[in-house]
Structures are given as C-alpha cells and as structure tokens.
Amino acid sequence: MTIFRSTRIAAVALAAWLACPPLAPAAEVKLDGTGGNYKLLVDGQPFFIEGAGGDGPKQFLKDCGGNSFRTWGIGDDTGAKLDEAEKLGLKVTLGIWLGHERHKFSYTNMKMVSEQFDKAKAAVEKYKDHPALLMWAVGNEMEGYGDGDNPAIWAAVNNIAAMIKQVDGKHPTMTVTAEIGGGRVEAMHKLCPAIDVVGLNTYGGGPSIGKRYRAAGGTKPFVLTEYGPPGTWEVGKNSWNVPQELTSTAKAKLYRATYEETILAEKDKLCLGGYAFTWGNKQEATATWFGLFLGTGERLEPVDTLTELWSGKKPENRCPQIEPLKVVGADRAKPGDTIKAQLAVVDPEGDPLKIEWRLEKDMSMYQEGGDFQPDAPRFPDAILKQGEKDVEVKMPGDAGGYFLYALVKDGNNGAAVANVPLFVDGGTQSKLVAKKGQVPMTVYADGMGAPKFVWSGWMGKHEAIAMDEKSTDNPHAGATCMKAQFKSPDNFGGIIWQSPANDWGDNPGGFNLTGATKLSFWARGETGGEKVDFVMGVIKADKPYHDSASAELRGVALTNEWKQYEIDLNGKDLSSIKTGFGWVVPGQGKPVTFYLDDIKYE
C-alpha cells in the first residue's frame, strides 16, 4: 500500500509538472560596449528592442515581429504578464511607478520616499528571477513637465537603481523621462550613476531626438520608451483652439520616420531599440489619438508599418489608407443645423469597406500626462444620412465642440480612422454630458481594472494625507485594501474620487449612474473611534461641469472591525456624477488611520 500510494503521488506530481512546468532560470542581461557603441546582450546574444507599450494582444505583437513590451508599474497582473511573455518568447521592461508631484507626492517627505523605496524593493525581490525580465524602468516622467532637474527626485531614482544593482545583478536599470528638455539630460548623467540606460518618451520630436540627445550631452545608451504621432501639445489648432489629429495613414508615416531616423540610425551606437505607444486603444484627447488599435480591436495602419520595420515584411493584407475628412461648407453651425463631410479612402487589396460614422462630444481634455480620461458621450441620432464617401450630421442642441469620426474597416482586422472637429454656436449650455455608466459600478476594490473615478482630489492639509491602495493590512476581501491616513492633529484633510482626475468641475466627465439606489463601502478604524465623513457629489452648480446630486454620511465613528456602510441614493438625480466618493477627516487631536474596501454603486 505504501509503495502504491508513493507511486500515485509521484504520478500526480509529474502530471502537475507537465501541465505547468517550472520557469526557466532568469536571463542574464548585460549592457555591452563603451564610448557610444552599445548593445544589449541576453544570455550572451545581441538583443535589439522591437516592441510596444500597452495592453493589446501580445501574441499579435509577436506575429508582427515584436520581441518585447514594457509596463509602467507593478500590479496584480504583473506575474501573469511575465508568464505570458515567457510562453511567447517575449522580453519585458518592467516599470516601477514612482510618484508625481502633480499627484501630491512629495520628494521632500522622507516617509513617502521611504515607503516608495520599500515597495520598489519588494517588487524587485519578487520578480528579479523571472526569465522574461529584460530590464527595470525606475519611474516614468516622475520629473514632471518643467525643467525636470529636481535633485530630490533624481536622488530617489538613483537610490532605487542602486538597490536594484545590489538585489538583482542580472538586469540593467533605466529611468524614463518626458522628452529631454530643461535639465533632464544633465541631471540623469550627473545625479544618477546607478542608472544604466535612459528611457525617452517622445512624439513629434521622435525623428530628431537622437541628434538632440547627443547635442544635450547625452552619452548613456537610450531606449525610446514611448514614440508615436505628435501629441496634442505639438500640433496646430483650429479657429476655436482645438488640436488637429492626424489620420491613421499620416500617423503611420511618422512612426516610420521616428524608427528610421532615430532608432535605426542609432542602432549599435546609443540606441538599444524602442517601444511604440500605445499597443491598444486609449481615450486621450480623442478616442483615437494615440491608440494603435480601434476600441473594437482592429489594427490601424501604423501597425502595418511597424510590422514591416520589425520583420522586414509587409502584411499580406494591409489596412485601408485614408485622407483627412473634408467639411462641405462651414464647420460651425447652430443647433439642429446640418453639416456635410466627405471621405476619401482606399483599400490596397480592394477589400469591401464598412464605414461607421460617429459624432462625439469634444471633452476639451488636451493636457499632458496621460491620466485616465472618461469616454466621450456619443450622439448616434445625429447621423442623418451616410454613405461610402459622405455623411450628413444634424448638430445637437448643446453649445460647444464635437468630433466627427469616420471609422473604416476592411473585414480582415484592418482599419483606418479620421476625424474633424465641429462646433455648435448659440446652443444650450448643458454641462451634464456624462457617459452612461454600468450599474453596479466599482469605485475601488482589490484587483479592479482601470478606475472610473480616480482618487485625485486632495483637500485641506494635503501634506498630512497618505494613501496606500495596495495595503495588505487585514483587507476585507481579496489580498489588499486601501489605507488612509491623516497625520495632523488639527485642521482637516480629505480625498475625493474624481472623473476626470484632478478636475473640480472645469472639464466634462463623470458618469450617468441612473438606476443606482445606494453607494456601499466597507470601512474600519485602526483602533476604533475614528470619526470620518463620507461623501459623494461635491461639485456644486456654480461650476461649469457639476454633480447632479450629492449625499453624505457625516461623523461616522468607525470600529476596529470591518463594517459595511451605505449612502442612500433613492430619489437622487444621478445623471451626471463627477465625484463618485470621498472622505474627510476633521482634526481630532491625534493622527487618524482607517481602511476602506469594496466601494461601489449598487
């Protein structure tokens, strides 16, 4: 019996091993070369980065000739991403997100800096031996958008990079900046000796950044960590100050220019390769500005260009090629007036094309930084007549800007897109243009995806506030919860969840949560007795884009055990909720620490 049981256990163990074999040992990645002639070596073999950043399909990335992708931070899905990369034979530049001062992170607050260092170290210790790991990217544009030469920031970057070299001796260190203006290049070279590689995010300046980097004194090897079409800050604007987005065909030419004039020109010199942005779809300024795919998954022409550049071969079936949309007559109208536009598009293989015309509200969100932006409201009833070459649109009654899109699909996973801005003069000033939200809607929970509302609205004595959304201190559900602290004995402090981030009613956003009857959440105090106010809908009607309703629970005395609380929303107008949740702690003569979990509209 003992022999039989041992044999059976061994068989079960073998089956488990065959189903999920152990990972290969960590790759040894070295930076080879001096004096301006550099290469990456992976287990002794040259490795030139041909990749992208974003959450689009990784199998397709490999099929296009890509060999790597990058991440911006460590999350619950990091292990799964690395495992997928290993199965596909891809390498990963793993990002360690560092705080931004525009998000109220202070590099003079030693406690915040120390906690950030500890999280970085934990991530390095957890993933340093994964065979898919290529290198570490310490921060992304954490230097800000000014001169970028704050010594305190660069000291924190260098300390983390030096730690990585001690904990993990097999992978290079990199830090990533927003272009190279101001004092960035000098700061990285003088203040960060532990940084091996410079990561450069560049868009309109991509074709020239190699030459400009050298002229600025850059001698360390670099990677283009983001490159693509010109940003909203780099293009011309129309008569009502709206940046002009390029067509997918025009964008493809710019991806090629950056690749050929910088990445390829500096190969085996200072450039170690590049990551195109973004391998996926992202609402930023418009629905299509930076995405290499449509929201429905079809690839755009820049992907065909990247495929040719990475693999040396054009795709067998190419994307449609599109010209800018042309408005017939004026591009401004009164409410209810009709605007006509014309489309010119061809398919290289003559595939039959399906054209979707779409009118969306211009959200007027052109700021830099890449923060979360809600999808724009659509107006399907505005499309009166549509054909393969033209469209008639009845303009809505709300005054302001709109975008008219032509989304063209070839039936073979290829697409093209162009848009044109339009404007309504003299209409109503409705500010409640929130997108329809799906109820139930999660505001915060362990392992959730991209947040609908962002905890970006700091109030009161904000320097005394600390938030950790990945706390492992006795969570209510899952592996983590949110730890909130107000460390001042007096004054008050609070955090508001906003849509869009950092907005107090000056920009459109928010969600129509009609159908929700309550906002529920779990909370507990560190010791019990902590008093906290919980709120939603704090932007008043004196702001252009306000909340349509507000509600609160004032003076909640928490216990040291988890308890569920509810804010009653029955009878509330939830058609435009821009601030989905918040907490406020009045000074209580001592620091206050409490925890939150599973916040959602039901």
Side-chain angles (χ1 to χ4, degrees), residues 411-466:
N412 288 291
N413 196 44
V417 64
N419 70 46
V420 64
L422 305 174
F423 198 89
V424 170
D425 288 300
T428 60
Q429 296 297 319
S430 172
K431 301 301 182 183
L432 305 186
V433 292
K435 179 186 176 183
K436 177 61 179 175
Q438 184 68 41
V439 178
M441 176 183 285
T442 298
V443 177
Y444 169 81
D446 178 47
M448 67 180 292
K452 304 296 186 182
F453 295 97
V454 182
W455 53 275
S456 54
W458 299 62
M459 302 189 301
K461 196 172 183 179
H462 58 76
E463 66 271 17
I465 299 172

Short mmCIF file of all heavy atoms in Angstrom, two decimals, residues 411-466:
data_model
loop_
_atom_site.label_atom_id
_atom_site.label_comp_id
_atom_site.label_asym_id
_atom_site.label_seq_id
_atom_site.Cartn_x
_atom_site.Cartn_y
_atom_site.Cartn_z
N GLY A 411 -12.72 44.22 -42.92
CA GLY A 411 -13.15 42.84 -42.74
C GLY A 411 -12.03 41.86 -42.54
O GLY A 411 -12.25 40.65 -42.40
N ASN A 412 -10.77 42.33 -42.50
CA ASN A 412 -9.61 41.47 -42.29
C ASN A 412 -8.76 41.98 -41.12
O ASN A 412 -7.53 41.93 -41.16
CB ASN A 412 -8.75 41.42 -43.55
CG ASN A 412 -9.42 40.60 -44.66
OD1 ASN A 412 -9.55 39.38 -44.56
ND2 ASN A 412 -9.87 41.29 -45.69
N ASN A 413 -9.44 42.50 -40.09
CA ASN A 413 -8.79 43.02 -38.89
C ASN A 413 -8.00 44.29 -39.16
O ASN A 413 -7.18 44.70 -38.35
CB ASN A 413 -7.88 41.98 -38.22
CG ASN A 413 -7.51 42.36 -36.80
OD1 ASN A 413 -8.37 42.80 -36.03
ND2 ASN A 413 -6.24 42.22 -36.44
N GLY A 414 -8.24 44.93 -40.29
CA GLY A 414 -7.58 46.20 -40.60
C GLY A 414 -8.57 47.34 -40.58
O GLY A 414 -9.77 47.17 -40.87
N ALA A 415 -8.08 48.53 -40.24
CA ALA A 415 -8.98 49.68 -40.15
C ALA A 415 -8.23 50.96 -40.45
O ALA A 415 -7.00 51.00 -40.51
CB ALA A 415 -9.62 49.74 -38.75
N ALA A 416 -9.01 52.02 -40.64
CA ALA A 416 -8.47 53.37 -40.81
C ALA A 416 -9.41 54.31 -40.09
O ALA A 416 -10.60 54.02 -39.90
CB ALA A 416 -8.38 53.74 -42.29
N VAL A 417 -8.86 55.46 -39.66
CA VAL A 417 -9.70 56.41 -38.95
C VAL A 417 -9.26 57.84 -39.25
O VAL A 417 -8.06 58.11 -39.41
CB VAL A 417 -9.70 56.16 -37.42
CG1 VAL A 417 -8.31 56.38 -36.83
CG2 VAL A 417 -10.73 57.02 -36.71
N ALA A 418 -10.24 58.72 -39.35
CA ALA A 418 -10.00 60.15 -39.47
C ALA A 418 -11.12 60.87 -38.73
O ALA A 418 -12.23 60.34 -38.59
CB ALA A 418 -9.98 60.59 -40.94
N ASN A 419 -10.82 62.04 -38.23
CA ASN A 419 -11.87 62.84 -37.60
C ASN A 419 -11.69 64.30 -37.93
O ASN A 419 -10.62 64.73 -38.40
CB ASN A 419 -11.93 62.61 -36.09
CG ASN A 419 -10.75 63.19 -35.34
OD1 ASN A 419 -10.34 64.33 -35.57
ND2 ASN A 419 -10.18 62.42 -34.42
N VAL A 420 -12.75 65.07 -37.69
CA VAL A 420 -12.71 66.50 -37.92
C VAL A 420 -13.50 67.17 -36.79
O VAL A 420 -14.57 66.69 -36.41
CB VAL A 420 -13.28 66.87 -39.31
CG1 VAL A 420 -14.74 66.51 -39.42
CG2 VAL A 420 -13.05 68.33 -39.61
N PRO A 421 -12.99 68.27 -36.22
CA PRO A 421 -13.74 68.97 -35.18
C PRO A 421 -14.85 69.84 -35.76
O PRO A 421 -14.69 70.45 -36.82
CB PRO A 421 -12.67 69.83 -34.49
CG PRO A 421 -11.59 69.99 -35.49
CD PRO A 421 -11.63 68.80 -36.38
N LEU A 422 -15.98 69.87 -35.07
CA LEU A 422 -17.13 70.70 -35.43
C LEU A 422 -17.54 71.50 -34.20
O LEU A 422 -17.13 71.19 -33.08
CB LEU A 422 -18.29 69.83 -35.92
CG LEU A 422 -18.00 68.87 -37.07
CD1 LEU A 422 -19.21 67.99 -37.34
CD2 LEU A 422 -17.59 69.63 -38.33
N PHE A 423 -18.39 72.53 -34.42
CA PHE A 423 -18.76 73.38 -33.29
C PHE A 423 -20.20 73.84 -33.44
O PHE A 423 -20.67 74.14 -34.54
CB PHE A 423 -17.84 74.61 -33.23
CG PHE A 423 -17.86 75.31 -31.89
CD1 PHE A 423 -16.98 74.93 -30.89
CD2 PHE A 423 -18.73 76.35 -31.65
CE1 PHE A 423 -16.98 75.57 -29.66
CE2 PHE A 423 -18.75 76.99 -30.42
CZ PHE A 423 -17.87 76.60 -29.42
N VAL A 424 -20.90 73.89 -32.30
CA VAL A 424 -22.26 74.42 -32.25
C VAL A 424 -22.24 75.77 -31.55
O VAL A 424 -21.80 75.88 -30.40
CB VAL A 424 -23.21 73.45 -31.51
CG1 VAL A 424 -24.56 74.11 -31.26
CG2 VAL A 424 -23.39 72.17 -32.31
N ASP A 425 -22.71 76.79 -32.25
CA ASP A 425 -22.80 78.14 -31.70
C ASP A 425 -24.20 78.42 -31.19
O ASP A 425 -25.19 78.03 -31.82
CB ASP A 425 -22.47 79.19 -32.78
CG ASP A 425 -20.99 79.21 -33.13
OD1 ASP A 425 -20.19 79.47 -32.22
OD2 ASP A 425 -20.66 78.98 -34.30
N GLY A 426 -24.29 79.09 -30.04
CA GLY A 426 -25.57 79.61 -29.57
C GLY A 426 -26.54 78.59 -29.05
O GLY A 426 -27.72 78.87 -28.88
N GLY A 427 -26.06 77.38 -28.74
CA GLY A 427 -26.96 76.37 -28.21
C GLY A 427 -27.13 76.50 -26.70
O GLY A 427 -26.70 77.47 -26.08
N THR A 428 -27.75 75.51 -26.12
CA THR A 428 -27.90 75.49 -24.66
C THR A 428 -26.55 75.22 -24.02
O THR A 428 -25.63 74.70 -24.65
CB THR A 428 -28.90 74.39 -24.24
OG1 THR A 428 -28.40 73.12 -24.69
CG2 THR A 428 -30.27 74.65 -24.84
N GLN A 429 -26.44 75.54 -22.75
CA GLN A 429 -25.18 75.37 -22.04
C GLN A 429 -25.25 74.17 -21.09
O GLN A 429 -24.84 74.23 -19.95
CB GLN A 429 -24.83 76.64 -21.26
CG GLN A 429 -24.57 77.85 -22.15
CD GLN A 429 -23.37 77.65 -23.04
OE1 GLN A 429 -22.35 77.11 -22.62
NE2 GLN A 429 -23.48 78.09 -24.28
N SER A 430 -25.83 73.10 -21.58
CA SER A 430 -25.90 71.90 -20.74
C SER A 430 -24.51 71.40 -20.44
O SER A 430 -23.69 71.20 -21.33
CB SER A 430 -26.69 70.80 -21.47
OG SER A 430 -26.61 69.59 -20.74
N LYS A 431 -24.23 71.19 -19.17
CA LYS A 431 -22.92 70.71 -18.75
C LYS A 431 -22.97 69.24 -18.32
O LYS A 431 -21.96 68.66 -18.01
CB LYS A 431 -22.40 71.55 -17.58
CG LYS A 431 -22.27 73.04 -17.92
CD LYS A 431 -21.33 73.28 -19.08
CE LYS A 431 -21.17 74.76 -19.36
NZ LYS A 431 -20.32 75.00 -20.54
N LEU A 432 -24.17 68.69 -18.29
CA LEU A 432 -24.28 67.33 -17.81
C LEU A 432 -24.21 66.38 -19.00
O LEU A 432 -25.21 65.97 -19.56
CB LEU A 432 -25.59 67.16 -17.03
CG LEU A 432 -25.77 68.15 -15.87
CD1 LEU A 432 -27.02 67.83 -15.08
CD2 LEU A 432 -24.55 68.19 -14.97
N VAL A 433 -22.98 66.09 -19.40
CA VAL A 433 -22.74 65.28 -20.59
C VAL A 433 -22.07 63.97 -20.21
O VAL A 433 -21.24 63.43 -20.91
CB VAL A 433 -21.87 66.05 -21.61
CG1 VAL A 433 -22.64 67.20 -22.18
CG2 VAL A 433 -20.57 66.54 -20.96
N ALA A 434 -22.43 63.45 -19.04
CA ALA A 434 -21.77 62.25 -18.54
C ALA A 434 -22.11 61.03 -19.40
O ALA A 434 -23.21 60.90 -19.94
CB ALA A 434 -22.19 61.99 -17.10
N LYS A 435 -21.11 60.15 -19.48
CA LYS A 435 -21.31 58.90 -20.19
C LYS A 435 -22.17 57.95 -19.35
O LYS A 435 -22.08 57.94 -18.12
CB LYS A 435 -19.95 58.25 -20.47
CG LYS A 435 -20.05 56.91 -21.19
CD LYS A 435 -18.68 56.27 -21.31
CE LYS A 435 -18.78 54.88 -21.95
NZ LYS A 435 -17.49 54.20 -22.02
N LYS A 436 -22.99 57.15 -20.00
CA LYS A 436 -23.81 56.19 -19.29
C LYS A 436 -22.92 55.18 -18.59
O LYS A 436 -22.07 54.54 -19.20
CB LYS A 436 -24.75 55.47 -20.27
CG LYS A 436 -25.60 54.38 -19.62
CD LYS A 436 -26.52 54.94 -18.54
CE LYS A 436 -27.38 53.83 -17.91
NZ LYS A 436 -28.19 54.34 -16.79
N GLY A 437 -23.10 55.05 -17.29
CA GLY A 437 -22.32 54.11 -16.51
C GLY A 437 -23.06 52.81 -16.29
O GLY A 437 -24.30 52.78 -16.29
N GLN A 438 -22.32 51.75 -16.13
CA GLN A 438 -22.91 50.43 -15.90
C GLN A 438 -23.04 50.19 -14.40
O GLN A 438 -22.05 50.17 -13.68
CB GLN A 438 -22.04 49.34 -16.53
CG GLN A 438 -22.62 47.93 -16.44
CD GLN A 438 -23.88 47.77 -17.28
OE1 GLN A 438 -23.96 48.25 -18.39
NE2 GLN A 438 -24.87 47.07 -16.74
N VAL A 439 -24.26 50.04 -13.92
CA VAL A 439 -24.51 49.78 -12.52
C VAL A 439 -24.78 48.30 -12.34
O VAL A 439 -25.58 47.73 -13.09
CB VAL A 439 -25.72 50.61 -12.01
CG1 VAL A 439 -26.01 50.30 -10.55
CG2 VAL A 439 -25.43 52.10 -12.19
N PRO A 440 -24.15 47.61 -11.38
CA PRO A 440 -23.24 48.16 -10.36
C PRO A 440 -21.92 48.65 -10.95
O PRO A 440 -21.44 48.08 -11.93
CB PRO A 440 -23.03 47.00 -9.40
CG PRO A 440 -23.25 45.78 -10.23
CD PRO A 440 -24.32 46.15 -11.21
N MET A 441 -21.35 49.69 -10.34
CA MET A 441 -20.06 50.23 -10.75
C MET A 441 -19.13 50.26 -9.54
O MET A 441 -19.46 50.81 -8.50
CB MET A 441 -20.20 51.63 -11.32
CG MET A 441 -18.84 52.27 -11.68
SD MET A 441 -18.96 53.97 -12.28
CE MET A 441 -19.58 53.65 -13.95
N THR A 442 -17.95 49.67 -9.72
CA THR A 442 -16.97 49.63 -8.65
C THR A 442 -16.13 50.91 -8.65
O THR A 442 -15.61 51.30 -9.69
CB THR A 442 -16.04 48.41 -8.79
OG1 THR A 442 -16.83 47.22 -8.70
CG2 THR A 442 -14.98 48.39 -7.71
N VAL A 443 -16.03 51.54 -7.51
CA VAL A 443 -15.16 52.70 -7.34
C VAL A 443 -13.78 52.26 -6.88
O VAL A 443 -12.77 52.75 -7.35
CB VAL A 443 -15.77 53.69 -6.33
CG1 VAL A 443 -14.85 54.87 -6.09
CG2 VAL A 443 -17.14 54.16 -6.81
N TYR A 444 -13.75 51.31 -5.95
CA TYR A 444 -12.48 50.73 -5.51
C TYR A 444 -12.71 49.31 -5.03
O TYR A 444 -13.67 49.04 -4.29
CB TYR A 444 -11.83 51.54 -4.38
CG TYR A 444 -10.67 50.81 -3.75
CD1 TYR A 444 -9.41 50.82 -4.37
CD2 TYR A 444 -10.83 50.03 -2.61
CE1 TYR A 444 -8.36 50.10 -3.84
CE2 TYR A 444 -9.77 49.31 -2.08
CZ TYR A 444 -8.54 49.34 -2.69
OH TYR A 444 -7.50 48.63 -2.19
N ALA A 445 -11.83 48.41 -5.45
CA ALA A 445 -11.81 47.03 -4.96
C ALA A 445 -10.48 46.42 -5.32
O ALA A 445 -9.80 46.87 -6.26
CB ALA A 445 -12.97 46.20 -5.55
N ASP A 446 -10.10 45.40 -4.61
CA ASP A 446 -8.85 44.70 -4.89
C ASP A 446 -8.90 44.07 -6.28
O ASP A 446 -9.87 43.41 -6.64
CB ASP A 446 -8.63 43.61 -3.83
CG ASP A 446 -7.37 42.80 -4.10
OD1 ASP A 446 -6.33 43.43 -4.36
OD2 ASP A 446 -7.43 41.56 -4.06
N GLY A 447 -7.85 44.32 -7.07
CA GLY A 447 -7.74 43.69 -8.37
C GLY A 447 -8.61 44.28 -9.46
O GLY A 447 -8.72 43.69 -10.54
N MET A 448 -9.23 45.43 -9.22
CA MET A 448 -10.08 46.03 -10.25
C MET A 448 -9.23 46.53 -11.40
O MET A 448 -8.02 46.74 -11.27
CB MET A 448 -10.90 47.18 -9.66
CG MET A 448 -10.08 48.39 -9.22
SD MET A 448 -11.09 49.72 -8.53
CE MET A 448 -11.97 50.26 -9.99
N GLY A 449 -9.84 46.74 -12.54
CA GLY A 449 -9.13 47.26 -13.70
C GLY A 449 -9.00 48.77 -13.63
O GLY A 449 -8.91 49.35 -12.54
N ALA A 450 -8.97 49.40 -14.80
CA ALA A 450 -8.82 50.86 -14.84
C ALA A 450 -9.97 51.52 -14.09
O ALA A 450 -11.14 51.21 -14.32
CB ALA A 450 -8.79 51.34 -16.29
N PRO A 451 -9.67 52.44 -13.17
CA PRO A 451 -10.73 53.05 -12.36
C PRO A 451 -11.60 54.00 -13.17
O PRO A 451 -11.12 54.69 -14.07
CB PRO A 451 -9.94 53.81 -11.28
CG PRO A 451 -8.63 54.13 -11.94
CD PRO A 451 -8.34 52.95 -12.83
N LYS A 452 -12.88 54.04 -12.83
CA LYS A 452 -13.78 55.01 -13.44
C LYS A 452 -13.63 56.36 -12.76
O LYS A 452 -13.69 57.41 -13.39
CB LYS A 452 -15.23 54.52 -13.34
CG LYS A 452 -15.48 53.15 -13.95
CD LYS A 452 -15.24 53.17 -15.45
CE LYS A 452 -15.63 51.83 -16.07
NZ LYS A 452 -15.36 51.79 -17.52
N PHE A 453 -13.46 56.35 -11.44
CA PHE A 453 -13.20 57.54 -10.66
C PHE A 453 -11.79 57.41 -10.06
O PHE A 453 -11.41 56.33 -9.62
CB PHE A 453 -14.21 57.71 -9.54
CG PHE A 453 -15.62 57.95 -10.01
CD1 PHE A 453 -16.52 56.90 -10.10
CD2 PHE A 453 -16.04 59.22 -10.35
CE1 PHE A 453 -17.81 57.11 -10.53
CE2 PHE A 453 -17.35 59.45 -10.78
CZ PHE A 453 -18.24 58.39 -10.88
N VAL A 454 -11.05 58.50 -10.04
CA VAL A 454 -9.66 58.49 -9.59
C VAL A 454 -9.54 59.30 -8.30
O VAL A 454 -10.04 60.44 -8.23
CB VAL A 454 -8.73 59.09 -10.66
CG1 VAL A 454 -7.28 59.02 -10.21
CG2 VAL A 454 -8.92 58.35 -11.98
N TRP A 455 -8.87 58.76 -7.29
CA TRP A 455 -8.72 59.49 -6.01
C TRP A 455 -7.62 60.55 -6.15
O TRP A 455 -6.53 60.44 -5.65
CB TRP A 455 -8.47 58.54 -4.84
CG TRP A 455 -7.34 57.56 -4.97
CD1 TRP A 455 -7.37 56.34 -5.57
CD2 TRP A 455 -6.00 57.72 -4.47
NE1 TRP A 455 -6.15 55.72 -5.48
CE2 TRP A 455 -5.29 56.55 -4.80
CE3 TRP A 455 -5.33 58.72 -3.78
CZ2 TRP A 455 -3.95 56.36 -4.48
CZ3 TRP A 455 -3.99 58.53 -3.44
CH2 TRP A 455 -3.33 57.37 -3.80
N SER A 456 -7.97 61.64 -6.82
CA SER A 456 -7.00 62.69 -7.14
C SER A 456 -7.34 64.03 -6.50
O SER A 456 -6.55 64.97 -6.60
CB SER A 456 -6.93 62.86 -8.66
OG SER A 456 -8.22 63.09 -9.20
N GLY A 457 -8.49 64.14 -5.86
CA GLY A 457 -8.92 65.42 -5.30
C GLY A 457 -8.51 65.60 -3.85
O GLY A 457 -9.26 65.27 -2.93
N TRP A 458 -7.31 66.11 -3.65
CA TRP A 458 -6.79 66.30 -2.29
C TRP A 458 -7.35 67.59 -1.71
O TRP A 458 -7.34 68.64 -2.36
CB TRP A 458 -5.26 66.36 -2.31
CG TRP A 458 -4.64 65.09 -2.83
CD1 TRP A 458 -4.78 64.54 -4.06
CD2 TRP A 458 -3.76 64.21 -2.11
NE1 TRP A 458 -4.06 63.38 -4.17
CE2 TRP A 458 -3.41 63.15 -2.99
CE3 TRP A 458 -3.22 64.22 -0.83
CZ2 TRP A 458 -2.56 62.12 -2.62
CZ3 TRP A 458 -2.36 63.19 -0.46
CH2 TRP A 458 -2.06 62.15 -1.34
N MET A 459 -7.78 67.55 -0.45
CA MET A 459 -8.40 68.71 0.20
C MET A 459 -7.76 68.99 1.55
O MET A 459 -7.21 68.09 2.19
CB MET A 459 -9.91 68.47 0.39
CG MET A 459 -10.68 68.16 -0.88
SD MET A 459 -12.48 68.13 -0.58
CE MET A 459 -12.60 66.84 0.65
N GLY A 460 -7.87 70.24 1.97
CA GLY A 460 -7.40 70.62 3.28
C GLY A 460 -5.90 70.56 3.41
O GLY A 460 -5.15 70.92 2.49
N LYS A 461 -5.42 70.06 4.52
CA LYS A 461 -3.99 69.98 4.82
C LYS A 461 -3.43 68.74 4.12
O LYS A 461 -3.18 67.70 4.74
CB LYS A 461 -3.77 69.92 6.33
CG LYS A 461 -2.34 70.21 6.78
CD LYS A 461 -2.26 70.33 8.29
CE LYS A 461 -0.85 70.68 8.73
NZ LYS A 461 -0.77 70.81 10.22
N HIS A 462 -3.26 68.87 2.80
CA HIS A 462 -2.98 67.69 1.98
C HIS A 462 -1.61 67.07 2.28
O HIS A 462 -1.39 65.89 2.05
CB HIS A 462 -3.10 68.01 0.50
CG HIS A 462 -2.20 69.11 0.02
ND1 HIS A 462 -0.87 68.95 -0.19
CD2 HIS A 462 -2.48 70.40 -0.28
CE1 HIS A 462 -0.34 70.08 -0.60
NE2 HIS A 462 -1.29 70.98 -0.67
N GLU A 463 -0.68 67.88 2.80
CA GLU A 463 0.64 67.31 3.08
C GLU A 463 0.60 66.32 4.24
O GLU A 463 1.54 65.53 4.43
CB GLU A 463 1.64 68.43 3.38
CG GLU A 463 1.36 69.22 4.66
CD GLU A 463 0.43 70.40 4.42
OE1 GLU A 463 -0.24 70.43 3.37
OE2 GLU A 463 0.37 71.28 5.30
N ALA A 464 -0.49 66.33 5.01
CA ALA A 464 -0.63 65.39 6.12
C ALA A 464 -1.38 64.13 5.72
O ALA A 464 -1.62 63.25 6.56
CB ALA A 464 -1.35 66.07 7.29
N ILE A 465 -1.75 64.01 4.44
CA ILE A 465 -2.53 62.86 3.96
C ILE A 465 -1.60 61.83 3.34
O ILE A 465 -0.67 62.16 2.61
CB ILE A 465 -3.57 63.31 2.92
CG1 ILE A 465 -4.56 64.30 3.54
CG2 ILE A 465 -4.34 62.09 2.37
CD1 ILE A 465 -5.50 64.92 2.53
N ALA A 466 -1.86 60.58 3.62
CA ALA A 466 -1.16 59.47 2.96
C ALA A 466 -2.19 58.42 2.56
O ALA A 466 -3.10 58.12 3.32
CB ALA A 466 -0.10 58.86 3.87
#
